[in-house]
Amino acid sequence: MLKSFIGVFIGCVAALPAATLTNNGKASSVIVVPDNASPICQEAAQLLQVTLAKITGATIPIEPEGRAGAAPSAARAWISVGHTRFAQGEGVKPEAFKPEEIRLLAAPLFVIVAGNESSSGDTGSDAQQGPYFAAVELLERLGVRWLWPGAGGEVIPNKATVSIAPLDYAFAPPFMQRRMRFGPDRGNGAFRYGVNVVKAGLDWGDWPRRLRVGGSRRITAGHNFGDWYEKYFKDHPEYFAVGEDGKTFGWMNEPSRSKLCVSNPGTLEQAVKEAKAYYHASANPQGACFSLAPTDNQAGHCMCANCRKLDALDGPKVSWNFWSGPNAETRTTVHHVSLTDRYMTFWNRVAERLEKECPSLLLASLAYGVYRSPPLRVEGHGNLIIGYVGNDYTNDAVRRSAVKDWDAWAAKARRMSFRPNLMKEGRGFPLLWPIRMAEDLKHFAETGMVAADMANIHGHWGTQGLNYYVLAKVLWNPGLDARALVDDYCERGFGGAAPAVKKYFARLIQLTDRLAACNGEGEQDAQAVLARGEEEDAPRRRGWGNAALPGWEQIYTPAAIKELEGYLGNARQYAAGEP
């Protein structure tokens, strides 16, 4: 399976001469596109033209195939982009491409840069970006990197002559969605940061696309049914969750987050009806995905007898709030078992009703809150994708539990999505976990993961940018070596300062790992955990009550901060005089 992540080299062609694209600062090639080139194909050609000009100083012309003239020659090599007739003559067939597959084929007189750019099947309403992603692959092989947004993160080597050694490379990403949600997640940033990122003009530019964030299909698994109270409650209160008395609605403190009675036949009928309407109204039904996830918060899940019959009574214990009283002002706590089997049963029933009329419709939901524990009795329908909401790289115990839960879910659900909130940990504090994150994503890819939805990419590039970079790279290819990615990030991005920057990042990764170990054993055990580390980071005590400081404050000590600043000071010295 790992072979499919890393990509496939086809044939052995290294002994042949290279294709020369520029020679001593002058163009010795032409970029050839189909006569009816798609927008994606044109953008790929432009990316190659602009970036190769930055590398070499030479602007390679772009020409439609019908005006490109004679076949490629030693004096005028071809860079064929997209589904040209020439590429098809060399065996690069568009109909054979898998979703988002890219292909590079280089020989002495030409380079073919191609990929899936279809707009049918599972691709959604827009064309896939195969040619563009293939262009990115070729440029990365020439040493180009986009480490963070903006000109400062763009790494352009200086080469007057560019040649491409013969190769035949094909790769199709294993995840149909690689979503990274950029920007603060509430109020354009004002809610949490006191700044409106839209008004401030903050933008990630082309960085996500250059890192091949995206996907061949959008998986919609957000909280749904928030409008049901307004639409249906008056005429169909039986659709909604009740308490054990069968009369009280325990979510009434916030009606827009009402919960449903999923055992009621009418609820099932209405959910199926809405999913069908969504499917038939979609611009491309072949790419449609409908969410079955309950509304957010954990108040007022149904306690009617029929819903409770769907629960696994030996499941793990959970609890949620129940609001009652004339104005829903009285809060009590319900103690029950996990609701996962109940909700999986409901989701499966919807899927079974839709599979004939809407065969390509994917249904998605979440493993979240009181239904995050793995199901004990019920397996997921083949058209259902479960988004696991969990994991934490600042607490080893939580991480171990999350991976264990993932494995149990993967044994029951046929397709899984990773949907954590972990990227907001620390709110910009220098917490680095690229190695452990990459290890988990590789494991998840090997155990049923088909999509990712990474929320809370808040743009802390100075402190957490390395996390963002490695995340994007391994979402495209989970078989990549994370340590090699970190080394490359430092060496490409920091020149002569790379040795000091590597030490800086390595120390931050070590401190984050130690914080996770400390939190994983409980703060009351922080002294024992930290005693296994370096003496200068041993727990310090408050001057009153002899109470230990929080784990993070015991680890990121003044001595540790001074050490980190020392690495950055060295980096400035090493980089003196460099651009």
Side-chain angles (χ1 to χ4, degrees), residues 512-523:
T512 306
D513 288 351
R514 296 181 66 213
L515 175 64
C518 172
N519 288 340
E521 297 193 27
E523 284 193 359

Side-chain angles (χ1 to χ4, degrees), residues 288-364:
C289 180
F290 184 79
S291 177
L292 295 174
T295 59
D296 204 357
N297 87 12
Q298 301 306 315
H301 293 275
C302 195
M303 288 295 286
C304 79
N306 288 331
C307 278
R308 282 183 285 144
K309 288 178 182 177
L310 303 178
D311 299 330
L313 298 183
D314 53 345
K317 298 298 184 286
V318 297
S319 60
W320 62 85
N321 292 329
F322 191 92
W323 297 86
S324 58
N327 298 306
E329 73 280 1
T330 303
R331 183 182 68 179
T332 55
T333 301
V334 174
H335 300 283
H336 194 57
V337 294
S338 167
L339 303 186
T340 304
D341 281 75
R342 168 195 304 193
Y343 279 115
M344 281 283 278
T345 300
F346 175 66
W347 302 332
N348 282 346
R349 288 173 176 173
V350 175
E352 289 162 2
R353 289 284 305 278
L354 292 167
E355 59 186 344
K356 289 186 179 180
E357 183 175 335
C358 311
S360 65
L361 177 65
L362 289 181
L363 299 168

